[in-house]
């Protein structure tokens, strides 16, 4: 059986279902596999692993799942492993080899952080160990090498905490407290993390800018922060490994969430090799996550006057909007005067660095819209058996696209 041209993982985290669709030409976008009863962490998302595998966390069952989509498309099993971890999962990351993973815990449906549990996992042995660090909303990255370091990004007080992954795995039962091997102070409002394996640097987004640190002789050395250079701040970071770019979206405007239609949004792009930074205006409203296709970055923008998919060309590190494509309205979408994330429908967006397809969900309608970024046009609509409330989560895969070079769950 030939390898599918492209696959789409669809997770309805509310209904509790993961499905796999074949997007190859002539495949009629049919479902080729599904797993019932899995409520994945929408916040931690999907993490690409070497070998075209995907990791995610079932928040309800408290399990790290390893999915093998291409094996499933060939008649094999979609869920190849399930390893117990602490939840609610806040963030999920792997080392560059894809063997060693970490899952942090955070808010869940609570109003403030309450869990201090961190789970370290070794996929080669199936071993997982839970330890206690600090109650927080921690981000996480893992460095490379034979004994990777885990880097926690903590808030209030802000800081990086460096811990050998091997120490976490050897901590033993009973969820013992583990002290960091090294620390580095940060502002208290860090939110958003990335790791560049090529330079062994970690990045985190704060109100001040993007703070950077490099691993040097077993400790973290701070470097000058990267300024946002525009209105607002970024709330996430994303590594574009093939093009050596770091992406975010700056949110500006009124602090009151009820005035979200007035928020400004600016794509922010930093070239890791040249040090140049560029921006592109996206328009007002809610811009949340993004996706990276072969030659384009994709953002969705939600606004009472109409939603749209924005496609940006990279332009040698100078992003420019190449297409603004309308998206059909969602029943239950955020409204003027209400917050854009409490009890409302949202959208997920996915792409593969190996191709031009972009997928966008229509929360509450059980629909996924497909686009061709190269042509800047809509190509079809997929219908799912569940409503995809809150937008669900998507992962678009092409064999050998090396999306695992971004080692943080998205």
């Amino acid at each position: 059986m030939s390898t599918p041209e492209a696959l789409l993982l669809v997770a309805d985290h509310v209904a509790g279902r993961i499905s796999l669709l074949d997007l190859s030409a002539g495949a009629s976008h049919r479902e080729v596999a599904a797993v019932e009863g899995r409520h994945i962490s929408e916040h931690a998302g999907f993490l690409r692993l070497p070998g075209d595998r995907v990791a995610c966390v079932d928040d309800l069952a408290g399990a790290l799942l390893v999915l093998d989509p291409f094996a499933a498309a060939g008649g094999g099993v979609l869920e190849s492993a399930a390893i117990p971890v602490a939840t609610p999962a806040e963030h999920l990351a792997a080392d560059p080899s894809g063997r060693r993973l970490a899952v942090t815990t955070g808010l869940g449906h609570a109003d403030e952080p309450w869990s201090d549990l961190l789970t370290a996992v070794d996929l080669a042995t199936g071993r997982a160990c839970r330890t206690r660090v600090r109650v927080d909303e921690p981000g996480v990255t893992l460095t490379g090498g034979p004994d990777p370091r885990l880097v926690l990004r903590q808030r209030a007080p802000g800081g990086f905490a460096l811990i050998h992954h091997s120490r976490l795995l050897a901590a033993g039962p009973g969820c013992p407290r583990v002290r960091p091997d090294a620390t580095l102070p940060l502002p208290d409002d860090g939110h958003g993390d990335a790791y560049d394996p090529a330079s062994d640097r970690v990045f985190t987004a704060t109100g001040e800018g993007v703070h950077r640190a490099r691993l040097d002789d077993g400790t973290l050395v701070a470097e000058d922060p990267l300024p946002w250079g525009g209105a607002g701040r970024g709330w996430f970071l994303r590594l574009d490994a093939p093009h050596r770019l770091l992406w975010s979206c700056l949110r500006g405007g009124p602090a009151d969430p009820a005035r979200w239609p007035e928020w400004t949004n600016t794509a922010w792009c930093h070239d890791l090799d040249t040090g140049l930074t560029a921006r592109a205006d996206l328009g007002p409203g809610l811009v949340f996550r993004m996706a990276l296709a072969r030659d384009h970055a994709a953002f969705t923008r939600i606004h009472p006057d109409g939603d749209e998919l924005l496609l940006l060309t990279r332009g040698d590190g100078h992003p420019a909007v190449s297409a603004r494509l309308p998206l059909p309205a969602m029943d239950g979408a955020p409204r003027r005067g209400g917050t854009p994330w409490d009890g409302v429908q949202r959208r997920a967006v996915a792409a593969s660095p190996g191709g031009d397809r972009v997928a966008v969900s229509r929360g509450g309608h059980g629909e996924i819209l497909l686009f061709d970024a190269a042509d800047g046009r809509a190509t079809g609509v997929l219908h799912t058996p569940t409503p995809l409330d809150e937008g669900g989560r998507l992962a678009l895969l092409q064999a050998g696209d090396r999306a695992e070079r971004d080692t943080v769950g998205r």
Side-chain angles (χ1 to χ4, degrees):
M1 182 178 293
S2 62
T3 300
E5 176 189 353
L7 297 172
L8 181 67
L9 269 174
V10 182
D12 189 324
H13 59 280
V14 177
R17 191 175 194 272
I18 303 173
S19 61
L20 181 68
L21 306 177
D22 189 345
L23 302 187
S24 303
S28 301
H29 299 160
R30 63 188 177 89
E31 183 177 89
V32 294
V35 180
E36 302 284 353
R38 288 303 195 188
H39 299 258
I40 80 158
S41 167
E42 190 268 346
H43 198 275
F46 285 120
L47 171 64
R48 293 291 301 275
L49 298 174
D52 296 316
R53 298 168 300 154
V54 179
C56 57
V57 177
D58 183 337
D59 249 356
L60 187 61
L64 171 73
L65 309 180
V66 179
L67 308 178
D68 197 338
F70 287 93
V77 176
L78 178 57
E79 183 182 306
S80 62
I83 299 172
V85 297
T87 56
E90 186 81 2
H91 289 287
L92 166 66
D95 75 324
S97 77
R99 171 179 172 173
R100 302 165 185 89
L101 283 74
V103 179
T104 64
T105 55
L107 283 172
H109 285 165
D111 293 329
E112 59 185 34
W114 59 275
S115 175
D116 60 357
L117 291 177
L118 163 70
T119 309
V121 178
D122 185 336
L123 289 184
T125 64
R127 179 178 176 83
C129 189
R130 305 179 192 188
T131 57
R132 295 171 56 211
V133 283
R134 195 182 89 193
V135 173
D136 200 354
E137 298 177 71
V140 63
T141 53
L142 278 85
T143 68
D147 186 11
R149 276 83 161 179
L150 181 147
V151 183
L152 288 177
R153 182 264 305 147
Q154 298 175 312
R155 304 176 70 181
F160 282 132
L162 186 74
I163 312 172
H164 281 75
H165 192 269
S166 58
R167 281 188 58 213
L168 296 169
L169 278 177
C175 303
R177 182 169 297 280
V178 175
R179 305 293 181 184
D181 298 307
T183 60
L184 191 66
L186 290 171
D188 290 347
D189 63 348
H191 196 289
D193 309 279
Y195 170 67
D196 176 26
S199 64
D200 219 13
R201 282 178 171 83
V202 292
F203 304 85
T204 195
T206 77
E208 295 179 355
V210 178
H211 281 252
R212 303 177 292 173
R214 72 178 189 277
L215 193 66
D216 187 4
D217 195 25
T219 190
L220 288 171
V221 178
E223 298 182 334
D224 291 338
L226 304 171
W228 294 122
R233 61 157 292 182
W235 292 95
F236 67 86
L237 291 174
R238 179 116 193 218
L239 176 69
D240 183 352
H243 298 86
R244 304 287 300 137
L245 301 173
L246 194 64
W247 288 88
S248 188
C249 177
L250 311 186
R251 179 185 299 164
D256 181 3
R259 296 176 61 187
W260 67 270
E262 302 171 49
W263 286 347
T264 61
N265 300 280
T266 306
W268 180 93
C269 178
H270 176 79
D271 191 308
L272 292 170
D273 295 327
T274 67
L276 298 177
T277 301
R279 288 161 294 277
D281 179 59
L282 301 178
L286 176 66
V287 176
F288 194 27
R289 297 185 177 100
M290 64 173 296
L292 296 169
R294 176 162 43 204
D295 297 315
H296 295 78
F299 296 81
T300 59
R301 186 176 69 89
I302 297 175
H303 193 275
D305 294 337
D307 298 356
E308 61 183 6
L309 169 68
L310 296 101
L311 300 174
L312 280 68
T313 56
R314 290 173 173 84
D316 296 326
H318 292 82
V321 178
S322 61
R324 291 179 178 268
L325 304 174
L327 297 171
M330 298 179 291
D331 296 334
R335 305 294 184 187
R336 296 184 192 273
T339 72
W341 43 66
D342 296 325
V344 295
Q345 297 295 352
R346 296 192 291 271
R347 299 187 186 276
V349 59
S352 164
D356 297 314
R357 289 183 179 86
V358 176
V360 179
S361 66
R362 188 184 182 201
H365 294 262
E367 291 182 1
I368 300 168
L369 302 112
L370 298 178
F371 299 86
D372 185 323
D375 293 339
R377 63 183 178 90
T379 59
V381 180
L382 308 179
H383 298 275
T384 61
T386 59
L388 295 180
D389 284 326
E390 300 180 4
R393 289 307 299 263
L394 307 175
L396 209 159
L397 310 98
Q398 294 198 193
D401 62 11
R402 298 196 65 196
E404 72 274 6
R405 286 181 288 179
D406 182 357
T407 59
V408 179
R410 306 298 183 185

